[in-house]
Amino acid sequence: MYRFVVCSFSFLALAASLPVYKRATLDVDILQFALTLERLENKFYKEALSMWSVDDFVDANFTEDFYTQLKYIAHDEEAHLVFLEQAIKATGAEPVQACTYNLPLDSPSGFVESLAIFEGVGVSAYLGAASLISSKKYLTAAGSILSTEAIHQAAARNAIGEIPMANSFATPLSANAIYSIASRYIESCPANNTKLPFKAYPELIVTQGLPTAINSSITFSSNGSLPNSTQIYVTFVSGLDITSVTGTRNGSSIKASVPEKASGQSYVFLTTGNSSNLTDSNILCGPAIIEVTPSSPTFNISLF
Ligand SMILES: *[C@@H]1O[C@H](CO)[C@@H](O)[C@H](O)[C@H]1NC(C)=O
Ligand SMILES: *[C@@H]1O[C@H](CO)[C@@H](O)[C@H](O)[C@H]1NC(C)=O
Ligand SMILES: *[C@@H]1O[C@H](CO)[C@@H](O)[C@H](O)[C@H]1NC(C)=O
Ligand SMILES: *[C@@H]1O[C@H](CO)[C@@H](O)[C@H](O)[C@H]1NC(C)=O
Ligand SMILES: *[C@@H]1O[C@H](CO)[C@@H](O)[C@H](O)[C@H]1NC(C)=O
Ligand SMILES: *[C@@H]1O[C@H](CO)[C@@H](O)[C@H](O)[C@H]1NC(C)=O
Ligand SMILES: *[C@@H]1O[C@H](CO)[C@@H](O)[C@H](O)[C@H]1NC(C)=O
Ligand SMILES: *[C@@H]1O[C@H](CO)[C@@H](O)[C@H](O)[C@H]1NC(C)=O
Ligand SMILES: *[C@@H]1O[C@H](CO)[C@@H](O)[C@H](O)[C@H]1NC(C)=O
């Protein structure tokens, strides 16, 4: 699986500028954002299931049982979509409508690889939003949806031979980071959709095959606009750990060693500093999504 990096240094003007939000307004925006992501997932799964039959999945070496699970996954996502629509309507707001998408639907196996990634991003989205949600009712609902997304992620990872439980902790990501990922798959949205108060960072893509492993060198390439004078850090976000590694540059490429604390689906940003406080002011671009093969599990004898 190859991905390519483009890192440029101005924020894309995909979202409205950030007004000061009342907390209840922010809750509704988060519901709208969740609905935006669920609509994307829903479209992706429905298209895949309408394009490929059980035989196509079996020809691609998936089991019939996994195909059945895919149908349950699509059913769950539809239920999430309906739930969010109703929750948004109950606040008096108008739910965002479907957009037009640019989805990776080349083959059943590519679809399942992307599904595993999307579900992981879904987990990161709900987990990252948790600290922004003020209503306890919505927080419980977000936790409920998050758990289901994690089950989907586990099923898809298992089906493609990745360890489902590759990290002891799920990875929270900020709304802007999630928005950055989602906007790569969204071509355009209806003009009257509620504008979300989030923005997309410039894209960062890995220029080598994945998975990678701890201590391996991993290379990204920029489109030539890395600032010359600044030390650039490659910041890995994996589980609850944020680790910045000094990047080594060669022209428009930058490489770094995968840190010990990265495991499973992880996210990479280029940053101007090594602070674990990732903010808009130190993120240059990202996140790239990488897969880090987990180390063999070990146990601490004193904890038996
Ligand atoms: C490089 O970044 C610029 C500025 O964002 C963008 O317009 C251009 O398309 C990018 N080039 C490539 C090759 O992606
Ligand atoms: C399915 O598995 C068989 C046996 O391992 C292999 O020969 C074949 O190439 C695989 N097909 C696909 C589409 O991966
Ligand atoms: C946008 O317009 C369409 C049709 O004109 C309408 O069905 C939809 O509810 C509107 N969406 C929003 C978010 O106002
Ligand atoms: C990574 O490298 C460090 C330093 O050389 C070493 O102590 C550690 O055991 C390595 N970890 C793995 C998982 O290879
Ligand atoms: C950065 O350095 C390279 C090589 O030293 C040079 O070609 C390029 O013009 C410089 N870019 C900027 C923005 O200064
Ligand atoms: C830097 O990149 C060029 C190709 O872009 C490559 O030929 C060269 O070997 C690289 N240098 C180092 C030190 O990796
Ligand atoms: C972070 O960067 C500062 C300089 O900006 C340096 O003094 C410090 O040692 C770095 N910390 C780590 C963990 O790399
Ligand atoms: C992280 O940075 C933001 C913006 O610079 C700041 O408001 C916040 O207090 C910082 N958080 C921590 C834990 O340092
Ligand atoms: C094992 O657990 C004990 C108790 O929590 C802790 O003090 C110790 O550092 C742990 N050892 C390792 C190797 O993680």
Side-chain angles (χ1 to χ4, degrees):
M1 211 189 305
Y2 286 82
R3 301 183 177 97
F4 300 92
V5 175
V6 174
C7 184
S8 56
F9 297 91
S10 59
F11 291 125
L12 304 182
L14 288 178
S17 59
L18 268 169
V20 176
Y21 269 77
K22 292 205 181 91
R23 302 194 77 196
T25 314
L26 184 57
D27 275 3
V28 179
D29 282 333
I30 289 166
L31 294 174
Q32 297 277 27
F33 187 35
L35 179 60
T36 304
L37 301 176
E38 296 287 356
R39 286 205 190 285
L40 191 158
E41 285 185 332
N42 186 56
K43 179 77 174 173
F44 188 43
Y45 304 164
K46 291 275 170 62
E47 291 237 325
L49 290 176
S50 65
M51 271 167 71
W52 297 306
S53 67
V54 60
D55 291 343
D56 295 322
F57 282 95
V58 168
D59 287 348
N61 286 344
F62 295 104
T63 63
E64 282 187 36
D65 280 350
F66 179 68
Y67 177 76
T68 302
Q69 291 177 21
L70 280 178
K71 290 194 288 187
Y72 279 95
I73 290 173
H75 168 263
D76 288 350
E77 298 302 350
E78 187 178 272
H80 295 167
L81 190 157
V82 170
F83 174 88
L84 289 165
E85 273 186 341
Q86 287 171 352
I88 291 163
K89 281 187 183 150
T91 70
E94 190 65 40
V96 290
Q97 299 301 307
C99 301
T100 54
Y101 307 98
N102 168 24
L103 295 165
L105 283 160
D106 296 337
S107 65
S109 57
F111 163 70
V112 178
E113 285 173 20
S114 298
L115 186 151
I117 292 170
F118 279 28
E119 294 289 342
V121 170
V123 167
S124 294
Y126 284 102
L127 192 55
S131 66
L132 299 176
I133 297 173
S134 56
S135 151
K136 292 201 171 163
K137 185 178 73 175
Y138 295 153
L139 188 56
T140 301
S144 173
I145 295 175
L146 185 162
S147 307
T148 308
E149 305 272 320
I151 292 169
H152 299 168
Q153 184 195 18
R157 287 179 64 91
N158 193 52
I160 57 173
E162 289 176 351
I163 299 284
M165 52 299 292
N167 198 309
S168 307
F169 297 91
T171 307
L173 277 184
S174 73
N176 285 346
I178 298 292
Y179 193 88
S180 306
I181 296 168
S183 42
R184 294 172 206 162
Y185 300 100
I186 297 177
E187 271 170 15
S188 65
C189 294
N192 66 343
N193 268 5
T194 302
K195 298 284 174 284
L196 298 168
F198 307 122
K199 67 183 177 187
Y201 304 119
E203 194 171 359
L204 174 68
I205 307 169
V206 187
T207 51
Q208 65 178 59
L210 293 168
T212 184
I214 290 168
N215 287 345
S216 292
S217 172
I218 184 164
T219 307
F220 307 85
S221 96
S222 77
N223 78 358
S225 44
L226 293 174
N228 277 347
S229 53
T230 326
Q231 170 64 59
I232 294 174
Y233 293 88
V234 181
T235 296
F236 295 78
V237 183
S238 191
L240 296 174
D241 292 300
I242 299 178
T243 313
S244 291
V245 176
T246 308
T248 305
R249 287 158 62 168
N250 175 13
S252 60
S253 286
I254 186 158
K255 70 177 177 186
S257 180
V258 177
E260 293 264 358
K261 286 179 171 172
S263 192
Q265 182 163 317
S266 305
Y267 304 91
V268 182
F269 297 85
L270 296 191
T271 58
T272 52
N274 61 8
S275 161
S276 62
N277 186 12
L278 264 184
T279 65
D280 289 353
S281 62
N282 59 22
I283 292 173
L284 293 170
C285 57
I289 303 174
I290 63 168
E291 176 64 24
V292 182
T293 303
S295 305
S296 301
T298 55
F299 301 98
N300 183 335
I301 300 296
S302 77
L303 295 179
F304 270 104

